[in-house]
Amino acid sequence: MVKIHERKFVSADPDKCVGCQVCEYICAWTKEKTFNPLKSRIRVVRLNPLVNLSITCRLCEDPPCVAACPRDALTQSEENGTILVDEDKCNGCGWCIEACDYGAISLHPEKKVVFVCDLCKDKPDGPQCVKWCPEEALDLVTADVLAQKARITATKKLFQEALKVAPPT
Amino acid sequence: MYGYAGRILHIDLTTGKTYIEPLNEEYAKKYIGGIGLGMRLWLDHSQAGVEPLSPENPLVLATGPTSGTIWPTGGNGHAFVAKSPQSYGIGESKSHGSFGTELKRAGYDAVIFHGKAEKPVYVWIDDDSVQILDASHLWGKSPAETEDTIKEELGDYYIRVAAIGPAGEKLVRIACIINEKTRAAGRCGMGAVMGSKNLKAIALRGTKDITVAKPDEFLEFVKEFHERMKGPATKKYRTLGTPENVLVHNALHCMPTRNYTNAYFEGAEKVSGELLNERYAAKIIGCSSCAMRCEHICVVNEGPYKGAMARVEYEPLWALGPYCGVDRLDAVIKGSELCNYYGMDSISAGVIVGFAMDCYENSILTKEDMDGVEARFGSHEALVKLIEKMGKREGIGDILAEGVKFAAEKIGKGSEKLAQHIKGVEVTGYDLRCLKTAALGFAVSFRGADHNRHGAYAFDVKGKVNRLKAEKGRGKMVKDIEDVYTIIDSLIICKFSRGTYYKEFEDLSKVYTLITGFETSPEEMRLKGERINNLARVINTREGLGRKDDHLPYKVMHLPIPDEGPAKGAYVTQEELDLLLDDYYEARGWTRDGIPTPEKLKELGMDDLIPIVEAKIRKA
């Protein structure tokens, strides 16, 4: 099984994401040679003008999408944790879509099989959404790195005063 | 065809019939898309002298070739075109967000709404399926409420909606069309035209693929523009935003204050972009495909307007603030929110309130006329109340809802001297008395008083010319920049990104070529821009507008700037205006009456429009 420090996924910083959908355009282009958000593996949600976030597959441990598939069409890669879709087995029933808490797996409008982020495995420079995001809101991270970031931010907030007088590092 | 869906959708709201017409490739090449294509389609489908709020005035919705692609700021624009109920000439207004991109994916370059529905309806365009649905339950709702209700009942969160508010329903002449809650096709009263058709909203879902003619080079160019957009050309929009102008304009004494009584606002510090960002800007968001983002969403957290939220730019801030003498940003944000709620152009709304306050201060309108509102300059309570009255067409609001030009005709008593408009469209935040290149740009703007048809203020504000002087040469400057602006609005890209087109026509023609595959030289691109300006002028000529309508507001020509400082005593004389107009018409190759000549139209490949101008030239 893939180790915790190797299982990287694309995550958006809600403070930085502005809802511009550049990630959707470049994802659909990279994977399907079209500018069509419906074929993007990452999707943007704008709840109101203040709340924007792009969301894609988070490579869950024991992924519920895999468990939900009655036809065993989905498996999780041993190598990097991405979800692999066997397009011959998938019949587009949508159980995996319902099982995913993040809406990260979608039904292809024409092929009628599901598709999900594969971290741009064919691209030497990795996920194109991360590379193209104008706000640098997207990052290829592990769950552990996310936790580290949160801890550091929390600590900085708690010790604002102390940091002001601390010697520069 | 790349860059175009290749189809125009006609919807006859009177009969309920719809049909599709293939996009004429010659039109695509000549008029690009957006306002260029939209105006040409409007001309083809309307009769001279059509009443703006009648069923016979078609409302055109158009996208441009960049729409639907990842082109930065280009993916997202759309334009509305119709005869304006304010200017009685051509009206056009753009908006951004994600609406235009959806229309292109649904497979249309333009939609033309004809006629008038018997009852309130909304149109649901779901790729090839077009339905006209009942909107009686939406009538009276704000654009945001309408959008939420439609998404709910059609069951898809990603549906995009553009709607009118109560103001559009009541034919308020400054009504706008709002998409995605905070984005407005604001100017020229396009919302009133939509309301006159009983058309409450347009809902879109597009699932089709969009690609471009030369994808590899295109993506390289996109990447280059992403880099340019991180640079100095867009810094203002990414940081303080356009409200930065408040202190800049005030220092130059070119910020019309208290309905053009002054050009300097003593309370400017209290409504500055700096303070707005420090206290109220909660988040800066971006439109679909944008790589610079500019939309400063501002929230009021305390006081009488607690909870108000709106996107704030310089123009609405200026109109609702300094122009009414109001020095409170919370009231400005509340005023903007109310304009969004009722669906009104917040620039015009502020200018109308400023006009009403001026009438009140000069005893032309009494407290009784004002339904008990003490409409003194500086009163934020009056500002908010008058916007609401206008949105509802209630009491004095029913008169103000006509816009300053027609309101002054109803009020009389010399109030027309206080009505600051050009061609019936309210002025914007540049004091034309001391910005004389801008004065020309505003006077000749085909959609009435506006900074966004030319951007000629930049020469004055940046000190590239003597802004207090009217002289030969300004005509060509205005013409040249107008020709860029019509291209911007036809492609459609965002004006905030214009500084990133370092090589202007060369960059613009390159984008157009890479997307459409129509090989276009920079000079050919420039010609398209010139052609579209001439097209607009031909339309206005057909509708009876001419030199007499290329005027300036009364105070600009009769009330010298009183404030001590760099612009004291400045105003525009009739001789200066005549000099500027002559110079401009000459640069344009038009007659002295401002009519495009048959030779000019021939040169621009618009031979088919020559009969329109010939008839008028003979008369003149």
Side-chain angles (χ1 to χ4, degrees), chain A residues 13-22 24-26 29 32-39 43-52 109-110 131-136, chain B residues 68-70 75 98 101 105 157-158 160 182 206-212 215 218-219 222-223 226 230 282-293 297 299 309:
Chain A
D13 182 336
D15 290 334
K16 288 185 184 167
C17 180
V18 300
C20 71
Q21 299 170 282
V22 167
E24 292 183 350
Y25 284 102
I26 201 63
W29 183 262
E32 315 235 3
K33 294 286 172 257
T34 170
F35 298 116
N36 187 346
L38 278 176
K39 295 180 182 172
R43 292 305 304 269
V44 174
V45 175
R46 177 175 285 171
L47 281 191
N48 69 41
L50 298 177
V51 183
N52 297 268
E110 284 128 32
K131 189 181 153 206
W132 280 76
C133 175
E135 299 299 320
E136 297 175 8
Chain B
T69 74
I70 195 177
S98 300
T101 176
R105 279 199 303 278
Y157 163 84
Y158 285 98
R160 306 294 178 185
T182 59
T207 69
K208 295 179 184 174
D209 286 340
I210 305 279
T211 183
V212 298
F218 175 70
L219 278 173
V222 171
K223 196 75 208 159
H226 274 222
K230 290 173 189 161
K283 172 102 182 165
I284 306 176
I285 61 172
C287 295
S288 173
S289 86
C290 183
M292 50 191 272
R293 98 275 189 286
I297 304 291
V299 180
M309 177 163 85

Side-chain angles (χ1 to χ4, degrees), chain A residues 162-169:
Chain A
L163 282 170
K164 277 182 196 159
V165 295
T169 50

Side-chain angles (χ1 to χ4, degrees), chain B residues 29 71 80 192 198 257 284 292 328 357 366 390-391 424 444 533 594 609:
Chain B
K29 286 179 175 166
W71 184 253
F80 284 99
N198 267 333
T257 297
I284 306 176
M292 50 191 272
R328 289 179 59 146
M357 287 173 164
T366 64
M390 228 188 309
V444 299
N533 273 299
L609 303 184

